Amino acid sequence: MEFDFIALKMRVSSPAFQCFFLPNRPTYISSMKLYNNFHSSSASVRVRFSGCTADTAQEVNKRIPRKLSSPNWSLIDKSETNEIISFASKEVLKRYSGMLRECASKGNLNEGTAIHGNVIKSGLEPDSHLWVSLINLYAKCGSLAFARKVLVGMRERDVVSWTALIAGYVSEGCGSDGVKAYCEMRKENICPNEFTLATVLKASSMCSDIKFGKLIHLEAIKTGLLLDLFVGSALVDLYAKFGEMELADRVFFGMPEKNNVSWNALLNGYAQRGDGKSVLKLFCRMLECEMNFTNYTLSTVLKGCANSGNLREGKALHSLSIRRAYELDEFLGCNLVDMYSKCGMAYEALKVFNMIEEPDIVAWSAIITGLDQQGHSQEAAELFHLMRQKGVRPNQFSFASVISAATNVGDLYLGQSIHCCICKYGYESDNSVGNALITMYMKSGFVQDGIRVFDTMTNRDLVSWNALLSGFYDFETSDQGLRIFCQMLMEGLVPNLYTFVGVLRSCSSLLNVWFGKQVHAHIIKNSLDGNDFVGTALIDMYAKNRCLEDADVAFNKLTNRDLFTWTVIIAGHSQTDKAEKAVKYLGQMLREGIKPNEFTLASCLSGCSRMATLGNGQQLHSLAIKSGHSGDVFVSSALVDMYGKCGCMEDAEAIFKGLFSRDTVAWNTIICGYSQHGQGQKALEAFRMMLDEDIDPDEVTFIGVLAACSYMGWVEEGKKHFDLMSKVYGITPSIEHHACMVDILGRTGKFNEVEVFIEEKKLAPYSLIWETVLGACKLHGNVEFGKQAAEKLFEFEPKMDSSYILLSNIFAAKGRWDNVRSTRAMMSTQGVKKEPGCSWIEVNGQVHVFTSQDGSHPKSMEIYTKLEELGQKLTSIGYTPKTENVLHNVSNKEKKELLYHHSERLALAFALISTSPVKPIRIFKNLRICGDCHDFMKLMSSITNREIVVRDIKRFHHFKKGTCTCQDYW
């Protein structure tokens, strides 16, 4: 490079530049020559650039001025000479500044540093424009440390140079450094301009420092720059990103001038908040102001529609984009896909996706996520494979979505394949991917694999812990869920609603109400006791632990009770024999305008089955028909069970025969119903029909079949089906099945076979077996074997009252009153109280309960008068009480008195005076009916010409015209 002018001061570079060393600085090849005769002087300078390519150096040398016209120095005085030199220097600096700006715009750092080095060696004193150009170059090219050094080397830093540095920090995402630089600038008493304030507002937004942003807002007011378009837009963007929409509105509508940036910032704030109405309202105002909008604006408004589920408005925006011929680029296309997906229109989302010419990974991720969230998980997985075939590299979002799809489909093999792919692409450390993998393994029951993924994560967040916790809800692993919750608290994590729901599920499975109450305390501290999801989990936990009062309190605290919440409280009361309360809640739910689903009805019917409240069950049947759920397999099975357990086997049979599809549960229900009603032949016939329809039996099926054999006394048939279980169907007999076999043998008096069976099958450690043996001994009066069975039960379950009562009754039947007294004394010593016998009957929707010798009923006088009348009729036909059924050491007269006032007889007398003569009488008893009451009921059915149904603790007895369906074998 040659110059026709030179000054002595240009031999040495500027002091500011002397302290600035660059790796790409140029070095001299030839030195400058000075001539005494200035007008004929010439200087020759050639620059070599180290650290950059030859092409770059050649290009720079070409662009730097080669020769400037030399003035006639002899004709010009000294002052004029200085002016000419100064003018020439400014032109050169101006040219340098332009070249640096061009390098900055192209991001060409190598060429820019070469020019910087040339400036240093030229010895020129940079002006403010050159300083700013250098800062701008390094900032835009990402060399912020060099930009900072240039700023530090300036003798007089101004607002433009500081703004350039702050802008560099912002462009590189270093918001906090930008804020610090602004604070340094203000310490030097340099006042910001509108560009400085706009830039530092963006920096405070980046580093999530809204407090600093508000201070800048005050600064803008003080400096009178609040009304500036750039400052106002930056403030709107700041407040909108932090959800401070009132402040964003105030700034926006106070701006005298608005542009697309300010409108989009406010629209985006409302969209992020999910306030679709405000987004649309603001967009309409934007149109009224005749503002031109872009694809970005449309995309923002579509985001608001997606978050608020406004399908109609979203479609209108789609139409607007078509009408205005906007190009369906990836950005607009993704937002349309997202809008249709979140509004439940998966098919439309797929149509839009197919219209995108070359969808990028963001578009692919959007459609895969949308399909998965709308329940089309299989299609989402297929799209993922198609994306791979198209050569699009998956990212963490597409991986997380397809793992979720595999989880929802239940395809663990697919999930494991995706896991391998994740490891191949190096996304295993990503939180969203790791969390999706943990959830998949936990839901699939592969707990150890889920734990392994959790352990390999380096940056676990609350979602990771919640995903891990979600897998520990069954009885075997729930205790680990409690430990995980405690560990979370020790590590300082603040639980959210998903954490509490997960740990409450563990408490429900473990029936650990003590820990559940501690969790409840944490919930209250975190102000989540009013949350619907947490409240429902609390209700379920308390209900399963039979703490119904606490469940009611948690339920009443909820303000937005949905169908699921109502179903949980109804099921809780139904499962704890509070059928009336369950039906009451159902009525309250209907009054609040919430319609029951099949699970609500099935739960309520289950409660009616337990309590045998036929009236409530019939009302629920009517409701099921009205709501269109009577054909549902769950409701139908519950109806069959309810009618069966309420003694209406004909109705149960009719509903069962009307079922379009009958699963294993439905067949089990009818088989067990037949068994309980003593219709063993029908039970076995139903079992054969079940096999003919290719329905596989399960454990419950065989309990029903074996019970039928027991009630009917079919020993060989029972043995055959017991062997059939394991040999044909591969079902390992449980203790309940073995107890059924013991009952079959014991009820027929085959005690030797019972002993052999217990020894062969190694059943001695199980209390249920000895309880069954003791019942058979009571039936046949086997004192010795009964004593042996009772002693085992006293050892296993010393607090069970039935063991003492049965043994005492065995002794009493043999007249061994000393043994009776010693047994009852032992019972008293153990603090065991006998459950009082009672019977109940439902009349006009109200349940009436009676105990033996009961005189508390409002119609007691009428009841006892009716019993006296019935007694006289029985005596007239030759009825003699079986006083041996009274197991008390009292006189024969007292025994007769006790027999006449048994609870089931009181219930019968009340039914005779309170019900229609044509209706069957249904009585329920919590103990086994005695032999004399059994004879009494048979005779009463003949005398009154009424059908009498009695359900005792073992089975149903249907008395009609002097006979019983049990054929006196029970």
Side-chain angles (χ1 to χ4, degrees), residues 797-869:
E797 296 187 44
K799 298 295 182 182
M800 188 166 66
D801 64 331
S802 60
S803 307
Y804 299 94
I805 300 302
L806 283 172
L807 181 61
S808 174
N809 289 345
I810 291 172
F811 288 139
K814 298 294 183 180
R816 296 169 61 168
W817 301 110
D818 289 339
N819 294 114
V820 171
R821 281 189 288 273
S822 62
T823 303
R824 292 185 180 271
M826 187 193 311
M827 183 178 178
S828 179
T829 304
Q830 290 289 341
V832 180
K833 292 185 178 180
K834 176 183 177 293
E835 181 187 2
C838 67
S839 299
W840 64 93
I841 186 169
E842 185 181 2
V843 176
N844 297 327
Q846 186 176 356
V847 177
H848 299 263
V849 183
F850 299 91
T851 58
S852 183
Q853 312 292 319
D854 193 0
S856 62
H857 197 275
K859 291 189 176 182
S860 289
M861 291 295 293
E862 298 170 61
I863 291 169
Y864 280 97
T865 302
K866 187 66 178 179
L867 274 178
E868 190 69 30
E869 177 192 329

Side-chain angles (χ1 to χ4, degrees), residues 516-708:
K517 286 185 175 181
Q518 293 186 66
V519 174
H520 193 174
H522 279 284
I523 290 168
I524 294 170
K525 287 179 181 177
N526 285 272
S527 303
L528 285 171
D529 50 325
N531 180 273
D532 294 335
F533 296 105
V534 177
T536 302
L538 273 171
I539 295 164
D540 182 60
M541 186 272 295
Y542 281 125
K544 285 182 178 173
N545 283 281
R546 308 182 76 85
C547 301
L548 293 180
E549 290 184 4
D550 294 317
D552 289 339
V553 170
F555 178 78
N556 292 327
K557 279 192 174 183
L558 299 179
T559 53
N560 299 315
R561 298 180 290 224
D562 59 5
L563 177 59
F564 182 64
T565 307
W566 282 102
T567 302
V568 169
I569 192 70
I570 288 169
H573 283 83
S574 296
Q575 291 165 4
T576 48
D577 299 334
K578 302 289 183 183
E580 290 185 1
K581 191 70 177 287
V583 173
K584 183 179 176 183
Y585 270 124
L586 179 65
Q588 187 180 343
M589 182 184 85
L590 292 171
R591 286 192 294 274
E592 291 189 12
I594 298 174
K595 294 181 180 180
N597 62 8
E598 60 272 25
F599 304 109
T600 318
L601 292 170
S603 298
C604 220
L605 283 165
S606 172
C608 295
S609 300
R610 290 167 180 265
M611 295 301 293
T613 52
L614 179 61
N616 288 332
Q618 289 172 328
Q619 290 180 39
L620 288 168
H621 189 180
S622 174
L623 182 60
I625 294 170
K626 288 179 181 177
S627 60
H629 292 302
S630 59
D632 180 81
V633 67
F634 295 104
V635 176
S636 300
S637 298
L639 282 168
V640 172
D641 186 53
M642 184 273 296
Y643 279 118
K645 287 181 179 175
C646 289
C648 304
M649 201 58 209
E650 296 83 2
D651 294 324
E653 197 173 19
I655 292 170
F656 178 79
K657 288 179 178 178
L659 291 177
F660 293 107
S661 62
R662 296 178 286 217
D663 60 0
T664 304
V665 176
W667 281 105
N668 289 348
T669 305
I670 197 69
I671 290 170
C672 291
Y674 283 137
S675 299
Q676 286 185 328
H677 284 266
Q679 300 177 23
Q681 195 65 48
K682 283 191 173 183
L684 294 183
E685 185 182 340
F687 177 66
R688 284 190 288 271
M689 289 173 64
M690 176 184 181
L691 299 180
D692 290 340
E693 291 190 10
D694 292 328
I695 304 294
D696 292 329
D698 60 9
E699 295 85 351
V700 179
T701 315
F702 281 100
I703 286 176
V705 170
L706 293 173

Side-chain angles (χ1 to χ4, degrees), residues 61-77:
N61 276 316
K62 284 180 181 179
R63 294 170 62 189
I64 295 175
R66 303 280 309 165
K67 193 168 181 89
L68 297 176
S69 57
S70 60
N72 190 344
W73 300 102
S74 61
L75 301 175
I76 303 172
D77 62 18

Side-chain angles (χ1 to χ4, degrees), residues 735 738 755-766 769:
I735 294 302
H738 287 96
E755 290 188 77
V756 172
F757 185 77
I758 291 173
E759 188 175 350
E760 284 182 351
K761 301 294 183 180
K762 299 179 180 179
L763 303 173
Y766 301 100
I769 300 298

